[in-house]
């Protein structure tokens, strides 16, 4: 093992614990910095985003709005909240385990195992996917690191995986399942803006669904052709027209709950029937698909089945998708991300905080609400040694 | 063309019309009995079931409960009802067309085209799938007829296709999509009892979901091992246990609306997690699928997404399924039906009516409600002339 500077013995790591009695506890733990095996490296994490997909592991089903309580500060910071009784059964499998959090991050390789591939990364800036990123140090296999192009700051590479690969995965899923255009909801998000840039670059027709007029304006300024605002009274008509114009028959929905998924299917069906030549008693025979990849709306999903029989709604998740397409195709997507990191896949953060600050009340309430346009970055190097 | 007896020039045929103003009209039309082309036959229909899948074409979205009105009798019988304003858009594609009804039926071949295959059917009892079966005569391609074994009465062969092939299609779908057991709702229906017999014969574990204790008793008497009564307070626990015991990860739901589909997915997830070795933040990685193949419950479909990310809900329909598996595999299923018609695939009818009687108020209200255990058979030979 080589180390650029002497490796500290311990570092802070954020963990989420749900106790069997229903108390959620988010706290910083002092954990050993594990020396690298020959094919591993130790990364000093300098940037890790709080993605919507991190929120589930951080808070489980806890009632943050009404029961959040904070004690301590600095390395002793500790946030607690109650998981409602009715939701405890779904949390049973994680009860009693203090789970490390943070899907992705970036930083500097400060120690490396003896293998040439690990050694080659020493001193370099890398991005990582793999959990436990809300920490000062992370020991990880070298082949789980993406070497960032020279001159890339950790903050620029911190969101290399989750959003970029999810956006690319949507377009790839559309192609592999035989659709020719796609629909995206919560389309003004960081991920949505990325998807818009990908679709513009690749010539893929994209129907963007947003929830506010200023979000629609933002996307139109970024070149989006089809933008439908669900807060507008003419939303369903606008959406049907955009679907007819693009022929989109697959949608990726970040909201998950409420009526939106069913409305999309209903408008897809109306668009298809408006172009049909004869009546079909079971509706259009064209398969219409909505994938729920997020849960911004935690209310139940509800739909009226006014879209014939050729339809599907299902979950969509990045990791199983990458496994399905295989390592070769997955690597091609990652390379595209690395080479377009400052353009197509650029992320914007509204606030940078330390690990300890990420456990402060107003900070938690800030990222908890997952507001479009607000994205938090954790920089564990802001925490005291 | 040969005819056993002189072919009448015209016959009665039931048609459903939704006028652009929203009036539904069900009436008997006197239509030409079309002489057969060389590869066609003319069948005198003696039995045609009213399946749940026929109800949609018969009544569209009309409000039968509150607006049904009857005029005339015999060949002049006519039933009308109103399609609510909000549902008219979905009916636009069929507006103004008087559509023949009835998916399947059986009868005697009374005339045949000159081809040897058509001639071979003359005088024989056949079953048919193809629409326009609520009629006294049906001209149809000979290869759309299934020759019934000698000694089979038309009433015994009238339900050869829709229920038997749907039940077989469920088991076939289960196998092709890699599941090892299945779930069925409204399981005491004619179709459900068939599916139970198929699964017992084939050694496929089946979880039957019923809505009443007497339906549970009926299935248990028929040898069903797993029967869960959704009216029981312990339903979700019983279902989870049955799912854990069978490993069922695919369900076919006849009800479509309400919370049942989501409850099935939730219980599948609970069954999988109860056997999982470690916590997975996105839930079980095993894909769980519910197919909605009917709409007995016309209320919205609603679910809470408490079943991880590896799941799907979608429509399932017999005809696209048969096209997907191809003519060879479809023919194998049909042959099994013909050879087990009086055992595995036996149907039971609670009432036989003429075409004109099928337009009487109390008869319509009888089959409209699609009660489990009540099934109507139309015998057009009971109509005069």
């Amino acid at each position: 093992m080589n180390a650029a500077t002497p490796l500290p013995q311990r570092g802070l790591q954020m963990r989420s614990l749900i106790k069997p009695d229903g108390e959620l506890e988010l706290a910083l733990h002092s954990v050993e910095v594990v020396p690298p095996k020959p094919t591993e490296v130790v990364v000093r994490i300098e940037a890790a985003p709080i993605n919507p997909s991190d929120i589930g592991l951080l808070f489980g089903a806890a009632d943050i709005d009404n029961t959040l309580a904070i004690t301590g500060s600095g390395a002793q910071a500790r946030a607690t909240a109650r998981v409602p009784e009715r939701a405890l059964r779904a949390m049973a499998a994680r009860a009693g385990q203090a789970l490390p959090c943070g899907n992705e991050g970036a930083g500097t390789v400060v120690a490396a195992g003896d293998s040439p591939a690990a050694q080659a990364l020493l001193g370099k800036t890398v991005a990582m996917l793999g959990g436990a990123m809300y920490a000062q140090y992370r020991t990880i296999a070298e082949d789980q690191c993406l070497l960032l192009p020279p001159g890339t700051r950790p903050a620029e590479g911190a969101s290399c995986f989750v959003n970029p690969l999810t956006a690319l995965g949507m377009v790839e899923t559309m192609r592999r399942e035989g659709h020719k255009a796609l629909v995206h909801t919560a389309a003004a998000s960081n991920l949505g803006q990325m998807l818009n840039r990908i679709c513009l670059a690749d010539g893929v027709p994209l129907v963007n669904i947003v929830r506010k007029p200023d979000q629609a304006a933002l996307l139109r300024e970024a070149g989006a052709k089809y933008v439908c605002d669900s807060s507008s009274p003419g939303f369903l008509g606008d959406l049907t027209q955009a679907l007819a114009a693009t022929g989109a028959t697959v949608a990726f929905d970040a909201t998950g709950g409420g009526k939106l998924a069913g409305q999309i299917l209903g408008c897809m069906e109306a668009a298809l029937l408006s172009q049909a030549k004869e009546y079909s008693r079971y509706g259009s025979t064209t398969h219409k698909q909505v994938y729920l990849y997020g849960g911004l709306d935690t209310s139940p999903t509800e739909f009226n089945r006014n879209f014939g029989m050729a339809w599907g709604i299902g979950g969509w998740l990045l990791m199983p998708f990458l496994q399905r397409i295989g390592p070769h195709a997955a690597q091609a997507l990652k390379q595209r991300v690395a080479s377009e990191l400052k353009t197509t896949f650029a992320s914007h953060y509204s606030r940078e905080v330390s690990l300890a600050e990420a456990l402060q009340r107003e900070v938690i309430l800030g990222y908890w609400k997952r507001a479009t346009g607000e994205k938090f970055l954790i920089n564990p190097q802001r925490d005291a040694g």
Side-chain angles (χ1 to χ4, degrees), chain A:
Chain A
M1 181 192 108
N2 282 45
T5 55
L7 207 55
Q9 293 212 313
R10 307 188 73 82
L12 294 175
Q13 183 188 66
M14 190 186 297
R15 292 197 175 184
S16 169
L17 166 68
I18 292 179
K19 299 175 187 169
D21 71 356
E23 187 185 63
L24 165 82
E25 180 191 272
L26 266 184
L28 302 182
H29 295 238
S30 171
V31 299
E32 188 196 354
V33 177
V34 182
K37 297 188 185 125
T39 58
E40 290 181 337
V41 297
V42 179
V43 179
R44 186 183 66 221
I45 296 176
E46 287 151 62
I50 302 179
N51 289 312
S53 54
D54 291 305
I55 302 286
L57 190 60
L58 283 169
F59 299 110
D63 179 3
I64 299 303
D65 289 331
N66 299 306
T67 66
L68 180 65
I70 309 292
T71 58
S73 64
Q76 273 67 52
R78 182 170 161 275
T80 61
R82 297 292 312 171
V83 177
E85 191 67 30
R86 58 181 162 70
L88 259 184
R89 199 178 68 135
M91 301 282 112
R94 60 171 286 188
Q97 303 169 58
L99 302 166
C101 301
N103 280 320
E104 63 181 343
T108 308
V109 176
V110 293
D114 292 332
S115 74
Q119 285 293 317
L121 293 178
L122 197 60
K124 299 291 201 311
T125 303
V126 296
M128 300 165 285
L129 178 67
M133 296 297 167
Y134 299 160
Q136 293 181 307
Y137 293 89
R138 175 74 156 89
T139 304
I140 192 167
E142 55 81 11
D143 63 3
Q144 281 189 264
C145 296
L146 182 66
L147 178 63
L148 294 172
T152 310
R153 290 180 297 111
E156 290 171 327
S159 296
C160 248
F161 293 98
V162 176
N163 279 351
L165 292 180
T166 299
L168 286 172
M170 291 173 181
V171 177
E172 192 68 17
T173 299
M174 175 205 80
R175 290 197 183 106
R176 287 174 184 246
E177 297 185 1
H179 306 278
K180 59 184 184 182
L182 77 165
V183 181
H184 188 227
T185 74
S189 65
N190 254 296
L191 194 159
Q193 295 181 48
M194 254 177 223
L195 182 62
N196 181 49
R197 292 192 289 268
I198 295 169
C199 288
L200 287 173
D202 293 8
V204 171
L206 170 68
V207 177
N208 297 279
I209 298 178
V210 297
R211 288 165 290 184
K212 291 176 186 167
D214 59 326
Q215 297 170 340
L218 182 150
L219 280 166
R220 285 191 206 283
E221 276 161 34
K225 184 166 177 191
Y226 303 99
V227 186
C228 302
D229 178 356
S230 61
S231 71
S232 145
F235 171 60
L236 295 181
D238 295 347
L239 180 57
T240 303
Q241 276 192 358
L243 293 169
T246 56
T249 44
V250 64
F252 289 86
D253 176 26
T255 68
K259 297 185 175 179
L260 188 54
Q263 287 172 335
I264 293 170
L265 288 172
C267 291
M268 283 178 177
E269 179 75 358
L272 289 163
L273 292 182
S274 72
Q275 297 165 346
K277 293 194 175 57
E278 61 178 28
Y279 175 65
S280 162
R281 51 183 296 197
Y282 290 117
S284 156
T285 55
T286 303
H287 185 80
K288 301 161 291 289
Q289 180 72 36
V290 176
Y291 287 111
L292 309 185
Y293 77 94
L296 296 178
D297 180 342
T298 56
S299 71
T301 311
E302 189 186 319
F303 55 89
N304 279 308
R305 310 190 308 286
N306 59 339
F307 35 70
M309 293 296 281
W311 61 276
I313 298 178
W316 192 94
L317 200 57
L318 177 59
M319 289 313 218
F321 163 76
L322 292 177
Q323 279 163 14
R324 217 153 47 234
I325 67 172
H328 186 75
Q331 190 54 33
L333 299 183
K334 287 176 190 172
Q335 282 311 324
R336 178 169 178 185
V337 175
S339 64
E340 301 175 26
L341 199 51
K342 295 190 184 183
T343 53
T344 313
F345 302 106
S347 284
H348 303 282
Y349 303 97
S350 47
R351 187 157 173 195
E352 183 182 294
V353 295
S354 68
L355 286 167
E357 286 164 348
L359 297 183
Q360 290 175 357
R361 182 180 188 82
E362 49 92 26
V363 178
I364 288 179
L365 293 176
Y367 59 81
W368 160 254
K369 67 183 178 203
R370 284 155 283 189
T372 296
E374 284 197 42
K375 185 153 188 175
F376 284 63
L377 188 70
I378 294 181
N379 180 353
Q381 301 313 312
R382 293 168 66 118
D383 293 275

